[in-house]
Amino acid sequence: MEEYIVSARKYRPTSFDSVVGQQALTTTLKNAVKSGKLAHAYLFCGPRGVGKTTCARIFAKAINCMSPTADGEACGHCESCEAFNEQRSFNIFELDAASNNSVEHIKTLMEQTRIPPQVGKYKVFIIDEVHMLSTAAFNAFLKTLEEPPQHVIFILATTEKHKILPTILSRCQIYDFERMTVRDTISHLKQVAQKEGISVEEEALAVIAEKADGGMRDALSIFDQAASFCQGNITYQKVIEDLNVLDSDNYFRLIDLALENKAMDIMVLLNNIINKGFDGGLLIQGLAKHVRNVLMARDIQTLPLLEVSDQQRERYQQQAQKCQIPFLYQALRIINQCDINYRQSSNKRLLVELTLIEIAQITQPDDGVGSGRKPRRLKSLFKQLTQAPQPQKAAPQVAAAERVASSPEMVQHTAAAPAAKRPLLKSAVSLSFKNVLEKASPKKMSVIPGTLDASDPNAVPKDEEMAFSQQDLELQWMLMCNRMPQKLSGIAARMKNMNPVITDFPNVEVTADNQVALDQLEQIKGSIASTLKLYLHNKSIRLSLRLAEQGADVPVLSRREQYQLLEKENPSIKVLKDLLDLELA
């Protein structure tokens, strides 16, 4: 029985022209051989299975060829080439740095560089997986790499260039190898199948190429696996069965059903897919790639971005004609959100089902009846605030404040106030949302509160004696403190920690915790009283000040402590804070 050799070894390129997908690099290397302008060190880096070590061997063979061709290829007939082909060349050395990564191994290698070649021009050292060398080995290698003997050339190969020391990189000519495209992989697999006498379907080769993820060695290994399973006749159905790949027909059908708003049919299809052993996350990832390909197929400019077979490309183009761009954009957004939340979800199947239902309802008409209506959005957390329309348009933050203020909790707190003068929020809200409340105040300021004098005509309100609650008093007190001018900022900060109390309506009493604060309040008592009369619409308000009794329990809370306390009492405040994305100053 003839010895079996895997395709990755059997069809390994032996010349630059036979290397697949690296035309720019191979052309550069051939030109270097033709011109004789060879560097002393090269670094080949790129993903696995793209031809780094293969190109290093071809390059080493061409360097030592005694009669290279006109285009820079090795002749293959001279003594050096024959010795290389028969693996008996003493001028080309291969070192696996993964298993020879110590300083001793590098020192042994350096000793070999001293001996000149017996046949050929150069001694070539190919060090594979060079990033596996230890730091000490790299340092021992530095001097020789920078100034090697005239007859020595180093070719380093690695899949992880970022792990190599910068001092090594600066001493090498760096060549970055690219991943194989699906088209190049399919073309090469066709040639291999033809040489092996295996009949193949192009769609089956496209599945193999996508599974290989840009690596030709992986593609050839998968090809051998599929050839063994299919017994010389590689078909699309057998390949997806052998590789356990989800059939792309499922993705095309999912999008077709979504365009027809057939959510129940999608649920049945999803159940069949899961019953076959496929994970919901795999379906979501594949569907995202499919929708992306459909989007690319809509425009002739983006059509080359599809790395699929020609038959698949036609199917994408046909489906792209049915799909509108807004549908594809929305579907991609929904799928991407599902992919982000999939790992954290405790009910993964339900998450996938909801995602597919949302996609199926993107184009659903909003007729308002039956099953043909659009998916209902989440209801607003709060009802609209019932109050007289404002003369000016409110800012978005004010509108948000009004929605919170109309919550059941807020309505309950303000039920005692008259309807016409009911405050938007209880006074604690102003601790964090003073700007919002100032704009939402039921009456525009005619003067600056806090600077009013008892003799000022603006201090005399209209002839009205409207009732007000404790909440109204606290609200206007805090608003007044927030609007006080900069020169009164010290007393304003103290006043925020004071709680005015209605003693005998409409008389208001304020307790100062020390004599200094009391003296400062006495100086602006007239302005405070005038401001309260103006904004509480009651000309009969009488303001009295007193000093807290020694030993009296008058807790002094900071603004943050007051906010935390009142947030605990009224959860709607926290909802407003999160809604407006605000922070307590």
Side-chain angles (χ1 to χ4, degrees), residues 480-493:
M480 176 182 63
C481 295
N482 290 334
R483 292 190 297 255
M484 289 174 69
Q486 183 66 28
K487 64 180 181 179
L488 297 177
S489 58
I491 185 59

Side-chain angles (χ1 to χ4, degrees), residues 197-265:
I198 300 174
S199 61
V200 295
E201 293 180 0
E202 186 173 346
E203 290 187 357
L205 296 181
V207 174
I208 295 175
E210 292 178 9
K211 188 78 171 178
D213 193 24
M216 185 60 72
R217 182 172 60 237
D218 292 350
L220 289 170
S221 299
I222 298 172
F223 176 83
D224 289 343
Q225 176 184 340
S228 299
F229 179 78
C230 300
Q231 292 295 312
N233 183 22
I234 300 179
T235 62
Y236 176 76
Q237 291 297 332
K238 290 183 179 179
V239 167
I240 63 174
E241 180 183 353
D242 180 36
L243 301 181
N244 195 31
V245 176
L246 187 57
D247 191 352
S248 62
D249 289 340
N250 292 299
Y251 301 128
F252 284 102
R253 191 179 173 195
L254 277 172
I255 297 301
D256 288 338
L257 291 174
L259 292 173
E260 299 173 4
N261 311 125
K262 295 182 178 179
M264 296 302 102
D265 292 343

Side-chain angles (χ1 to χ4, degrees), residues 305-531:
L305 299 179
L306 294 182
E307 294 190 351
V308 294
S309 63
D310 293 337
Q311 295 178 355
Q312 287 287 85
R313 184 174 307 214
E314 292 179 4
R315 293 190 65 184
Y316 278 118
Q317 286 181 296
Q318 293 174 3
Q319 189 167 76
Q321 301 304 319
K322 305 177 186 177
C323 301
Q324 299 298 322
I325 290 182
F327 167 79
L328 297 175
Y329 286 163
Q330 185 73 357
L332 280 174
R333 185 190 64 80
I334 295 173
I335 295 171
N336 182 63
Q337 192 62 38
C338 176
D339 188 34
I340 294 173
N341 298 331
Y342 188 80
R343 290 186 179 180
Q344 289 77 23
S345 175
S346 58
N347 192 339
K348 293 179 168 51
R349 174 162 181 168
L350 178 60
L351 177 62
V352 175
E353 289 175 344
L354 289 174
T355 299
L356 296 178
I357 290 174
E358 285 188 63
I359 296 173
Q361 293 180 332
I362 292 176
T363 60
Q364 193 162 304
D366 187 14
D367 54 11
V369 294
S371 60
R373 63 187 178 185
K374 278 189 176 181
R376 298 180 65 181
R377 296 183 177 180
L378 292 176
K379 291 183 178 181
S380 176
L381 294 176
F382 305 103
K383 298 179 181 179
Q384 289 293 337
L385 179 65
T386 303
Q387 65 174 14
Q390 299 294 329
Q392 297 180 351
K393 291 185 178 180
Q397 293 88 344
V398 178
E402 293 176 351
R403 289 198 296 274
V404 173
S406 61
S407 65
E409 294 86 348
M410 288 297 185
V411 172
Q412 181 178 1
H413 280 292
T414 58
K421 301 309 295 177
R422 186 171 298 162
L424 292 176
L425 301 172
K426 61 186 296 186
S427 60
V429 181
S430 62
L431 291 172
S432 298
F433 316 118
K434 58 182 181 181
N435 293 332
V436 174
L437 291 174
E438 287 176 7
K439 295 179 180 179
S441 180
K443 183 170 182 178
K444 286 288 184 179
M445 295 167 47
S446 59
V447 292
I448 301 177
T451 60
L452 286 171
D453 188 80
S455 61
D456 196 319
N458 289 316
V460 181
K462 297 179 181 179
D463 294 336
E464 52 185 349
E465 295 185 358
M466 185 171 291
F468 58 90
S469 64
Q470 178 67 28
Q471 287 80 11
D472 295 333
L473 174 62
E474 292 175 357
L475 173 63
Q476 296 303 331
W477 177 271
M478 195 59 63
L479 288 176
M480 176 182 63
C481 295
N482 290 334
R483 292 190 297 255
M484 289 174 69
Q486 183 66 28
K487 64 180 181 179
L488 297 177
S489 58
I491 185 59
R494 294 186 178 91
M495 289 172 61
K496 289 180 181 180
N497 294 325
M498 301 177 186
N499 294 320
V501 179
I502 302 175
T503 54
D504 182 16
F505 188 89
N507 297 329
V508 176
E509 182 181 70
V510 178
T511 302
D513 54 355
N514 55 66
Q515 187 62 44
V516 175
L518 182 63
D519 293 341
Q520 291 179 334
L521 285 177
E522 289 287 356
Q523 295 177 6
I524 59 172
K525 178 179 178 181
S527 297
I528 295 175
S530 299
T531 302

Side-chain angles (χ1 to χ4, degrees), residues 38 188 285 438 444 524 583:
L38 301 175
H188 186 66
Q285 294 174 8
E438 287 176 7
K444 286 288 184 179
I524 59 172
E583 295 182 358

